Amino acid sequence: MQTRPPGATWSGNHRYRAAETLLPGDLDELAEVLTSADAVRVQATRHTFNDVGDTDGVLVSLEQLPVRIEIDGDRARVEGLVTFAELAPVLEAEGRALHNLGSLPHISVAGATATGTHGSGLRNGNLSSAVRAVDVMDADGQTHHIDQTHEWFAAAALGIGAFGVITAVELQTEPSYTVTQQAYTGVAWDDIVGDPERVFGGSRSVSVFTTWGDPAHDLVWAKSDDGAPDWVETLGGRPVGDDIHLGRIRTVDNTTPRGTPGPWHTRLPHFRADALPSDGDEIQSEYFVPMASARDALAAVRAIAPAFSAQLLVSELRTVAADELWLSPAYQRDVIAIHFTWRNDTDGVLAVLPHIEAALAPFDVRPHWGKAFTMPGEAVRASLARIDDFTAAAHRVDPRGVFRNDFLRRTLGL
Ligand SMILES: Cc1cc2nc3c(=O)[nH]c(=O)nc-3n(C[C@H](O)[C@H](O)[C@H](O)COP(=O)(O)OP(=O)(O)OC[C@H]3O[C@@H](n4cnc5c(N)ncnc54)[C@H](O)[C@@H]3O)c2cc1C
């Protein structure tokens, strides 16, 4: 079996501890790995910012497994290591689309849905909410097909890898649609936080970029199905040209086209599939609080901005609609997502996160599983109404604890 060094996460902020990454060539070889190892995690496209995907045992990548994309009616089934950049054009060619995408298409379907990756939109659930079934190989090499009728579905569709190796994901699709996007400066902060439902509900997907102080850095980026999102101009917004700044990130020819209509997958991500997304030299954190608390939570963060602004490149505010997945930050509640892109300075970032987490603590805050956070496990678990159900299911499917790692033990108490 081929191997390679495990390397580091995409931005280099976490070096994997495992000695090597194994590259099985087919499902039989994958089963051999799982049955003989004491501890396994999957390494996908590595766009995480913590140790969620690491292990002291064996890392396995599906990159040598055959890839298959099948579209049947309103479902798409992907097998192997498939990214949204690979899946989206195939869907579009069949006249189909996903309901939403994250800010970049470079990430894997299995890794993104395992961690609750999201885009924006008052009526858009996260990408995991489009999962209709997963095939999971357990530590005995057995594959379970877990669909919506299965007792473990609400745990396994967003399972942070705790159920085993996801070898296939089935996603809900919808008819293809066209999106026009534009980014605007000049919308007053008070208008954004004064009526967040109006701003975030104005288009299919709305992001607000801010550095929590300098209005020159505030940007409303709206993506509409029905022509240019002109409604932002009624709030004083002025379209920006091509030279777009995301806070202190100066994007260099890596964003998707603004001002013209295009297929959904060419407009919903901020960043183009053929370019480096974001800054590259960064760490990310993100916290979710109920939409009903958006105004107070944003005020609480803004009040402590001087404590973290030296580390900040930019913040992005988005919304995620409620779902029924037990570990979802949006489980049974619409949320506002408060994101931070930091300078790539681990010690500096870890020093400021507790301030933000304390400010958001009164608002039933949950962290993004794939990004940096310091919330103690007790606080995380207290925010998860179905943690006991998740833990029970994970123990039944993985009694030897092969897929548990430090992150899951520390955060979820698995
Ligand atoms: C520039 C940039 C922009 C981003 N934008 C967004 C955004 O818009 N919205 C958002 O929510 N997040 C965003 N993220 C975060 C990112 O989408 C998530 O952290 C996501 O988990 C990355 O998926 P991955 O496959 O690259 O990660 P990996 O680190 O490879 O995997 C993530 C987790 O899933 C597990 N896993 C992966 N594949 C499998 C499998 N087949 N079976 C079982 N477990 C598996 C891994 O073990 C790990 O625990 C961004 C990240 C970057 C770097």
Side-chain angles (χ1 to χ4, degrees):
M1 190 177 311
Q2 287 184 50
T3 65
R4 61 164 168 73
T9 50
W10 168 82
S11 77
N13 77 309
H14 175 80
R15 289 210 74 77
Y16 290 91
R17 289 191 302 271
E20 58 183 4
T21 301
L22 305 181
L23 310 176
D26 57 34
L27 292 178
D28 289 338
E29 282 192 356
L30 175 62
E32 274 174 41
V33 172
L34 301 190
T35 51
S36 58
D38 291 330
V40 178
R41 292 294 288 183
V42 180
Q43 199 178 43
T45 40
R46 300 178 292 107
H47 282 63
T48 38
F49 294 90
N50 58 30
D51 59 348
V52 64
D54 206 354
T55 174
D56 291 322
V58 169
L59 277 171
V60 67
S61 166
L62 308 190
E63 65 200 55
Q64 299 287 342
L65 255 58
V67 163
R68 189 171 296 136
I69 300 176
E70 284 174 355
I71 298 165
D72 185 11
D74 65 357
R75 298 288 171 90
R77 177 181 164 87
V78 304
E79 294 178 14
L81 180 63
V82 174
T83 65
F84 288 96
E86 292 161 341
L87 170 61
V90 178
L91 282 173
E92 174 63 15
E94 296 289 324
R96 304 300 298 176
L98 299 173
H99 74 291
N100 208 348
L101 286 169
S103 70
L104 77 175
H106 311 61
I107 50 179
S108 74
V109 174
T113 55
T115 53
T117 296
H118 61 93
S120 193
L122 273 189
R123 285 172 294 279
N124 291 327
N126 58 31
L127 303 182
S128 319
S129 72
V131 173
R132 292 294 172 267
V134 287
D135 286 1
V136 187
M137 190 182 284
D138 68 19
D140 294 328
Q142 302 296 315
T143 297
H144 305 264
H145 179 73
I146 302 180
D147 65 15
Q148 288 175 294
T149 65
H150 198 289
E151 61 175 318
W152 296 333
F153 177 77
L158 195 176
I160 322 185
F163 273 62
V165 179
I166 295 171
T167 56
V169 184
E170 287 179 26
L171 296 169
Q172 181 72 44
T173 70
E174 57 186 72
S176 174
Y177 53 90
T178 296
V179 172
T180 307
Q181 61 174 342
Q182 190 53 273
Y184 301 84
T185 54
V187 181
W189 177 257
D190 286 347
D191 286 332
I192 294 168
V193 294
D195 190 355
E197 305 257 351
R198 177 179 177 205
V199 172
F200 289 99
S203 293
R204 167 185 280 266
S205 170
V206 176
S207 293
V208 171
F209 289 86
T210 184
T211 49
W212 306 95
D214 182 353
H217 283 160
D218 289 351
L219 196 75
V220 176
W221 190 332
K223 301 165 190 272
S224 291
D225 289 15
D226 44 5
D230 297 334
W231 61 270
V232 186
E233 294 180 31
T234 66
L235 293 173
R238 297 182 302 279
V240 297
D242 289 339
D243 189 22
I244 187 171
H245 295 245
L246 301 178
R248 300 189 183 104
I249 299 175
R250 185 191 176 98
T251 61
V252 187
D253 193 25
N254 63 355
T255 52
T256 48
R258 292 175 297 280
T260 54
W264 59 283
H265 66 293
T266 63
R267 299 295 187 274
L268 286 179
H270 302 326
F271 301 108
R272 291 202 323 266
D274 63 351
L276 178 81
S278 193
D279 184 88
D281 191 16
E282 66 195 61
I283 295 174
Q284 299 184 9
S285 303
E286 194 166 31
Y287 300 95
F288 304 86
V289 300
M291 198 58 198
S293 302
R295 187 201 296 226
D296 293 342
L298 295 173
V301 175
R302 196 172 164 100
I304 58 144
F308 63 72
S309 62
Q311 296 295 335
L312 185 72
L313 293 177
V314 72
S315 273
E316 182 179 4
L317 313 176
R318 289 179 282 183
T319 53
V320 188
D323 61 49
E324 293 293 330
L325 305 176
W326 293 345
L327 289 192
S328 174
Y331 177 68
Q332 295 192 339
R333 60 185 200 168
D334 296 335
V335 292
I336 185 156
I338 307 175
H339 164 95
F340 304 83
T341 301
W342 305 111
R343 299 185 195 285
N344 197 353
D345 165 13
T346 298
D347 291 344
V349 171
L350 294 180
V352 300
L353 293 182
H355 296 285
I356 296 168
E357 292 162 3
L360 293 175
F363 307 106
D364 195 15
V365 59
R366 296 174 197 160
H368 192 304
W369 303 123
K371 302 186 181 181
F373 63 92
T374 59
M375 286 171 66
E378 308 84 67
V380 174
R381 294 194 285 280
S383 77
L384 298 171
R386 304 301 293 270
I387 183 64
D388 291 343
D389 295 320
F390 183 89
T391 303
H395 278 265
R396 276 178 59 201
V397 76
D398 182 24
R400 286 203 286 132
V402 170
F403 300 104
R404 282 168 231 158
N405 63 359
D406 281 355
F407 178 95
L408 292 175
R409 281 187 280 272
R410 184 175 78 233
T411 309
L412 300 184
L414 278 192

